[in-house]
Amino acid sequence: MNMDEALQFVETLLAQRGHRLNDLERKIFQGAWQGKSYKEIHRVYDLGISLEHMMRNVGPTLWKHLRDAVGEPIRMKDLQGPIQRAYAAKAQAVLPAIASSFVPSMPSLPVSEPRGLSLPQHRTQTDWGMAPDVGIFCGRDRDIAELQERIELDRCRLIFLLGIAGIGKTCLGIRLGQHIAHQGDFDAVIWRSLTNQPSLNLLLEDLLQTLQELLPGNPPWSSNLLLNLWYYLRNYRCLILLDGLERLLPSGSEEYSAEYEAYGSFLRRLGEAYHNSCVILTSRERPQATSTLAGSGDSSPVYYYWLEELGEESAREMLASKFDLSGSDRDWSLLIRLYVGNPLALNAAASQIQDLYAGAIDRFLAVHATETAIFGEIRQVLEQQLAQLSRQEQIIVDCLARIGEPMPRTRILTEVTAPLSNEQLDQCLQKLLWRSLLVLENFYYMLHPLVQKYAQGRLGL
Ligand SMILES: Nc1ncnc2c1ncn2[C@@H]1O[C@H](COP(=O)(O)OP(=O)(O)O)[C@@H](O)[C@H]1O
Ligand SMILES: [Mg+2]
């Protein structure tokens, strides 16, 4: 087995576990395969990271992924042994045709059904559009399993993947699509971004053209784009991922536009009318237009999934693979909790720690533990989201930020600075909840911790 074959084999193994090697990891693997030390690899390849970061973070994370994939400990000095053993074990278990794609000269094995290892069947046609390269992806196994169950067992037709900005909806959507494409049960997987606010007609035309290119068959063509789309959704099993629905939703004070109405009725159709496919929309905000669609019951074809924080271990793995940070376990844990496991907020903070605090987490915490600074893109998004609120919503957010503790609705009514009726309060609370800005627990409302920090900063508290 030569290095390229080994790399190809390892990439397939890791991809099945949801990990795609990035360039950096590929180079480290190649160097280690040739028996090079970290120092030599660092000298030979232009890696763009420090030797220390490679030895402490990127390398160990790679070996951990490999260990999980091959099922035995991996030592950098003896990389070839475990990989070749894993290869031999898999080769016993799969069809010779698949195995020989790794080793062209391999003697043919007796034909048997694949066991244990299900290699990609490449049956699913895909079109990823302008999907960002997810690169390093950490954790989220439970979320993927839950969503897959809804798609495969419950046959959900319409799924909303919801959560605050930066929590990882786009990345998770793409990763989920990759998993499903890899399994090969779907006929087509298509990913499209809605961030440029395409008109519904434009989106339908694009989807139709793509489906026509990907799938066989001659649909009975009608002038009604939706009917044409239904031909594919009913006759094939397609997964369509639409990313960033929030860009199409009217903000707090805006009127509903005709375009939005068209999208609203499209979404209702997707949930209500029978078809064989699944459409997943990621959004910061749960759309009002689908409020009448039942959801989240076990047998419902519509499902609303709120994505929560990235677990501590996964968040640390994510940061360690991208940034050169140092700190005790306690420092890492404090940092991750400070930004409530929000990957975008954590990445922005980590970049500052690396640049301004020489990577020392404790130095950053000494400055920011009490008044959390929210940096970069997530700051802009929160700023924008809060600026778009209606006046009444704004009053409630300010009140919650000022008091700074969870409150029941009756207390909010007495604490707000301008009188609100019960009906107005309920309406506003629902909208804030649906925009991922508010959290409700046991009848107590509080701002999402990141929103709380941002809003308090804005009030000078
Ligand atoms: N599971 C993850 N593993 C590694 N990085 C992640 C993960 N989830 C999110 N990120 C990082 O956080 C950033 C924001 O994630 P994204 O999916 O764009 O959030 P959202 O769509 O919810 O606003 C991404 O660019 C990526 O760098
Ligand atoms: Mg997104």
Side-chain angles (χ1 to χ4, degrees):
M1 179 180 224
N2 67 29
M3 186 177 72
D4 288 342
E5 288 160 357
L7 184 60
Q8 194 190 349
F9 173 62
V10 158
E11 295 215 54
T12 311
L13 271 190
L14 291 176
Q16 285 172 341
R17 306 178 62 84
H19 180 77
R20 217 164 83 203
L21 284 186
N22 57 36
D23 273 355
L24 198 59
E25 293 172 317
R26 228 171 265 130
K27 283 177 183 159
I28 296 176
F29 180 88
Q30 287 168 329
W33 184 266
Q34 294 164 337
K36 292 190 171 69
S37 66
Y38 276 126
K39 243 187 178 154
E40 288 169 307
I41 297 174
H42 194 260
R43 193 160 37 80
V44 175
Y45 296 109
D46 176 20
L47 297 177
I49 57 166
S50 71
L51 173 63
E52 202 195 349
H53 179 40
M54 176 167 99
M55 290 174 66
R56 254 191 328 177
N57 301 317
V58 186
T61 307
L62 172 62
W63 309 138
K64 182 174 152 291
H65 280 301
L66 274 180
R67 179 199 65 197
D68 293 347
V70 304
E72 66 170 297
I74 296 278
R75 287 183 334 137
M76 195 175 164
K77 285 208 180 81
D78 176 30
L79 187 58
Q80 297 203 5
I83 304 290
Q84 276 170 347
R85 276 193 291 282
Y87 174 78
K90 300 293 182 201
Q92 293 293 326
V94 296
L95 287 168
I98 300 170
S100 62
S101 72
F102 292 121
V103 182
S105 58
M106 208 174 108
S108 60
L109 294 168
V111 177
S112 61
E113 282 302 304
R115 279 177 287 126
L117 181 73
S118 57
L119 285 170
Q121 295 156 21
H122 299 299
R123 209 172 68 81
T124 303
Q125 303 297 311
T126 58
D127 186 321
W128 296 103
M130 302 277 278
D133 182 358
V134 171
I136 296 161
F137 185 84
C138 309
R140 297 290 189 208
D141 295 346
R142 279 217 340 255
D143 302 284
I144 291 184
E146 161 86 27
L147 288 162
Q148 273 192 302
E149 193 170 309
R150 295 293 171 166
I151 297 168
E152 280 150 23
L153 295 183
D154 300 343
R155 289 270 178 166
C156 282
R157 297 193 287 262
L158 179 63
I159 294 180
F160 292 93
L161 180 49
L162 304 162
I164 193 164
I167 198 67
K169 303 177 292 293
T170 299
C171 288
L172 178 63
I174 295 171
R175 193 37 65 107
L176 177 67
Q178 288 170 342
H179 264 281
I180 286 177
H182 188 83
Q183 283 176 342
D185 295 333
F186 272 71
D187 298 305
V189 173
I190 300 178
W191 186 95
R192 288 292 181 269
S193 166
L194 300 177
T195 44
N196 285 337
Q197 303 170 302
S199 69
L200 182 63
N201 261 3
L202 207 65
L203 177 74
L204 294 181
E205 275 170 10
D206 173 26
L207 289 176
L208 273 171
Q209 196 186 338
T210 310
L211 286 165
Q212 222 181 341
E213 282 163 17
L214 295 181
L215 300 171
N218 287 316
W221 222 243
S222 133
S223 57
N224 183 332
L225 292 175
L226 206 56
L227 273 183
N228 295 338
L229 181 69
W230 234 257
Y231 166 84
Y232 286 106
L233 297 186
R234 216 180 28 227
N235 291 300
Y236 293 95
R237 190 135 165 77
C238 311
L239 177 71
I240 300 180
L241 293 140
L242 301 175
D243 187 65
L245 176 70
E246 71 271 352
R247 290 299 305 273
L248 294 166
L249 304 180
S251 61
S253 45
E254 257 174 27
E255 291 293 314
Y256 281 39
S257 66
E259 196 51 55
Y260 173 67
E261 287 296 346
Y263 263 101
S265 85
F266 172 55
L267 295 181
R268 282 193 296 275
R269 250 344 139 75
L270 283 170
E272 282 167 352
Y274 175 77
H275 60 80
N276 236 328
S277 297
C278 176
V279 177
I280 300 183
L281 290 121
T282 72
S283 181
R284 256 176 240 152
E285 186 174 337
R286 179 176 157 167
Q288 287 281 342
T290 58
S291 57
T292 51
L293 285 182
S296 302
D298 272 350
S299 58
S300 169
V302 183
Y303 185 53
Y304 300 93
Y305 188 72
W306 290 91
L307 188 58
E308 310 230 324
E309 61 196 68
L310 189 61
E312 204 169 301
E313 206 182 311
S314 310
R316 182 168 172 172
E317 188 188 334
M318 170 189 81
L319 294 179
S321 65
K322 291 190 197 170
F323 300 96
D324 199 354
L325 305 186
S326 58
S328 64
D329 286 348
R330 187 168 167 276
D331 294 336
W332 277 99
S333 171
L334 281 174
L335 175 68
I336 291 162
R337 275 188 273 147
L338 195 60
Y339 290 100
V340 269
N342 185 296
L344 187 61
L346 279 167
N347 278 327
S351 153
Q352 294 251 341
I353 298 174
Q354 186 174 266
D355 295 346
L356 305 180
Y357 298 85
I361 299 175
D362 58 347
R363 290 198 192 170
F364 173 85
L365 289 175
V367 178
H368 290 292
T370 46
E371 28 136 350
T372 316
I374 298 186
F375 307 105
E377 201 183 320
I378 187 132
R379 187 184 176 82
Q380 286 168 12
V381 175
L382 291 178
E383 209 166 78
Q384 214 178 49
Q385 265 191 299
L386 293 193
Q388 286 172 347
L389 297 182
S390 71
R391 219 183 87 71
Q392 288 164 349
E393 290 160 358
Q394 191 73 61
I395 289 171
I396 295 170
V397 168
D398 286 349
C399 164
L400 286 162
R402 187 166 38 82
I403 308 273
E405 59 185 33
M407 292 193 282
R409 65 183 301 292
T410 44
R411 180 153 174 227
I412 302 177
L413 270 181
T414 59
E415 297 278 1
V416 284
T417 50
L420 288 176
S421 69
N422 272 311
E423 192 189 342
Q424 285 169 330
L425 179 66
D426 280 348
Q427 247 176 26
C428 291
L429 289 175
Q430 192 190 38
K431 282 195 183 157
L432 292 171
L433 277 171
W434 282 18
R435 291 205 179 106
S436 327
L437 299 174
L438 203 61
V439 181
L440 171 62
E441 245 179 64
N442 293 330
F443 304 105
Y444 277 70
Y445 294 89
M446 57 182 218
L447 293 177
H448 182 285
L450 279 183
V451 180
Q452 169 77 7
K453 281 168 188 158
Y454 174 77
Q456 277 188 330
R458 211 178 47 156
L459 292 173
L461 298 169

